[in-house]
Amino acid sequence: MKPVSEEKKSREQRLQTRNLKKQLFSLPNTSHYCEDIVPLEEHSSVHFDSNVSQEILIENNKSSIDETITRHHITIGTQTSNILRLFSTELLLADDETVQYYTGLETASKFSLVLITLLPMANDIRYRWSRVVGISIEDQFLMLLIKLRRNTTDFELSKIFGVSKTEVSNIVVTWINFVSDIWSLIDIWPSRSLVNYYMPNCFRTHYPSTRVIIDGTEIGIQKPSQPDTQKASFSSYKHKNTLKFLVGASPGGLLTYVSNGYAGSASDRQIVERSKLLQICDSGDSIMADRGFNVQDLFASKGISINIPSFLKGKSQIPGVQLKIDQKLASQRVHIERLIGLTKTYLILKNELNHFYVPLASKIFFICVMLCNFREGIVNKNN
């Protein structure tokens, strides 16, 4: 072979570099085989024939890459290279502060614990639109939590995880339905003995028969296009279109009851009438509520009492003794407001819900409530 000139050698090196770059960015997980690529030395003694060098180079690279794909069982399709991701999962779960910011859970171990409750069923998910390839179950669950916690747009999630916006929407909608269906199988309504066991001393002394503390909450939605829907969902309290939920918590601070979503114009009494509280509460129990829940007549037939603040009933002011009783009642009922406030740390509930997610509102709210139950208790048992 004739000696190769320096110019031709440089041209061959540039060609090899370009071909390697093409192969790297056309495969999903370059990290598996990047370590096998050996860079050319500056003073290489290898000579290339201009007619066959390109063919040999491409053929060798193709066989090496095929070998790597077979060894690591990589599926090419919608899978995206980790190079195109803004953050890695390991980085997002690197420290407790980051985990809490993006997921609402305290630690990475808590994240893993919550994910375990969805396994192994999560390995056989049927997706809403198309099959998802190349994104791990852990990443998909993390994507859902970031969506709920930070109310991140699909575009931003697509950049974080290196997938398309359509793929993000497919994953989020599928996982909302999946997680809600799985967790709804869990009976979160505790028995009377369990409520008594975890009851704080303040309840044990003054309100020992309390089974559940209830309150209503509303989440804003975008203004519907239909006039009838606008009228039904308009809340006179929030002065905007909302969905209303009934939430119940045990004295120990566990969220034990969540209703489906109702239009914002529905009253508290209407929601209680349609709830399952009458069926799941036992005779002798008491329900602690706000003054707006004047529903004693609904529960009296079953021997269930309602603890609410007293009304004036034509009096100019409430007697001092009764006022002290109401203040003590309000100091205990505030726990449900704190728990509802904890659910609103998931920003998807704090901002107006997009039209696309309104049909999934009940499932989204239920998932946020269940995630709050994985948090450490906010009620001090000794107080």
Side-chain angles (χ1 to χ4, degrees):
M1 296 175 60
K2 295 181 179 180
V4 182
S5 65
E6 291 296 326
E7 182 181 356
K8 184 176 289 187
K9 187 187 298 184
S10 175
R11 197 162 54 243
E12 292 295 340
Q13 289 178 351
R14 290 198 302 272
L15 174 63
Q16 185 178 16
T17 304
R18 283 198 302 271
N19 287 333
L20 288 176
K21 286 183 178 179
K22 288 180 183 179
Q23 297 291 350
L24 284 175
F25 284 96
S26 65
L27 285 175
N29 288 324
T30 59
S31 58
H32 293 302
Y33 56 84
C34 283
E35 58 187 7
D36 297 330
I37 299 173
V38 180
L40 288 174
E41 296 181 359
E42 187 176 356
H43 303 289
S44 175
S45 60
V46 179
H47 299 285
F48 296 92
D49 186 269
S50 59
N51 296 324
V52 297
S53 60
Q54 181 175 355
E55 182 180 351
I56 294 174
L57 175 64
I58 294 175
E59 185 64 31
N60 289 340
N61 287 335
K62 182 177 182 300
S63 61
S64 174
I65 291 168
D66 287 343
E67 249 182 355
T68 307
I69 293 174
T70 306
R71 185 167 65 251
H72 294 284
H73 304 286
I74 297 176
T75 304
I76 300 176
T78 59
Q79 204 171 17
T80 309
S81 173
N82 287 333
I83 296 176
L84 303 180
R85 295 182 56 167
L86 293 180
F87 305 104
S88 66
T89 306
E90 292 75 15
L91 181 62
L92 291 175
L93 301 176
D95 60 273
D96 295 345
E97 185 178 0
T98 305
V99 172
Q100 185 161 3
Y101 179 82
Y102 282 108
T103 69
L105 303 172
E106 296 93 340
T107 61
S109 59
K110 182 68 71 67
F111 172 83
S112 301
L113 173 65
V114 177
L115 180 59
I116 287 173
T117 65
L118 303 170
L119 297 175
M121 295 77 70
N123 296 319
D124 299 316
I125 293 180
R126 293 184 179 180
Y127 291 89
R128 177 66 178 84
W129 291 297
S130 59
R131 182 170 176 266
V132 174
V133 179
I135 307 178
S136 67
I137 296 298
E138 184 183 37
D139 282 354
Q140 293 179 43
F141 185 54
L142 180 60
M143 184 187 296
L144 171 67
L145 294 187
I146 294 176
K147 180 69 175 180
L148 299 178
R149 176 70 171 177
R150 309 308 312 171
N151 197 25
T152 311
T153 62
D154 290 352
F155 175 78
E156 187 176 351
L157 286 174
S158 69
K159 295 302 180 183
I160 292 175
F161 290 92
V163 295
S164 65
K165 290 194 296 183
T166 305
E167 197 80 358
V168 169
S169 180
N170 184 26
I171 292 172
V172 170
V173 171
T174 301
W175 273 79
I176 287 173
N177 285 283
F178 167 69
V179 175
S180 175
D181 290 345
I182 295 298
W183 283 351
S184 62
L185 300 176
I186 303 174
D187 185 9
I188 60 174
W189 182 257
S191 63
R192 176 75 256 183
S193 59
L194 200 60
V195 171
N196 291 338
Y197 181 81
Y198 287 103
M199 184 175 290
N201 293 332
C202 54
F203 278 90
R204 198 184 305 276
T205 303
H206 302 288
Y207 307 100
S209 63
T210 303
R211 184 70 177 271
V212 65
I213 313 167
I214 62 173
D215 199 6
T217 185
E218 298 181 63
I219 62 173
I221 61 173
Q222 289 183 351
K223 187 177 180 180
S225 57
Q226 297 297 325
D228 291 344
T229 311
Q230 291 178 21
K231 181 180 178 181
S233 61
F234 186 81
S235 170
S236 57
Y237 180 71
K238 295 288 187 178
H239 302 290
K240 62 181 180 180
N241 299 97
T242 65
L243 294 176
K244 187 177 289 187
F245 297 86
L246 178 65
V247 183
S250 68
L254 178 71
L255 289 162
T256 59
Y257 183 81
V258 186
S259 72
N260 290 325
Y262 293 87
S265 61
S267 66
D268 293 334
R269 182 182 177 89
Q270 290 173 328
I271 297 177
V272 172
E273 286 176 344
R274 291 162 175 78
S275 70
K276 298 179 181 179
L277 290 175
L278 188 60
Q279 289 77 34
I280 58 181
C281 287
D282 300 323
S283 178
D285 291 341
S286 65
I287 298 174
M288 188 176 289
D290 193 11
R291 187 178 285 110
F293 291 89
N294 190 16
V295 292
Q296 292 92 332
D297 56 310
L298 299 178
F299 294 88
S301 60
K302 198 175 177 182
I304 302 171
S305 60
I306 307 294
N307 286 328
I308 62 173
S310 58
F311 294 89
L312 283 174
K313 296 181 180 179
K315 301 176 183 178
S316 59
Q317 63 181 10
I318 299 175
V321 176
Q322 187 62 44
L323 183 61
K324 289 293 183 181
I325 296 174
D326 291 348
Q327 288 176 348
K328 188 176 295 183
L329 179 66
S331 67
Q332 307 309 321
R333 198 188 62 81
V334 73
H335 293 321
I336 184 65
E337 297 179 359
R338 295 171 63 195
L339 288 167
I340 290 175
L342 186 62
T343 65
K344 296 298 179 69
T345 58
Y346 288 89
L347 298 185
I348 196 170
L349 303 179
K350 200 167 186 178
N351 301 315
E352 287 189 352
L353 199 61
N354 189 287
H355 290 308
F356 182 74
Y357 290 106
V358 169
L360 299 171
S362 295
K363 295 185 176 182
I364 290 173
F365 188 77
F366 174 72
I367 292 173
C368 294
V369 166
M370 291 295 290
L371 288 171
C372 290
N373 278 339
F374 282 100
R375 298 282 297 271
E376 298 297 328
I378 67 171
V379 178
N380 191 340
K381 189 175 180 180
N382 297 322
N383 293 334

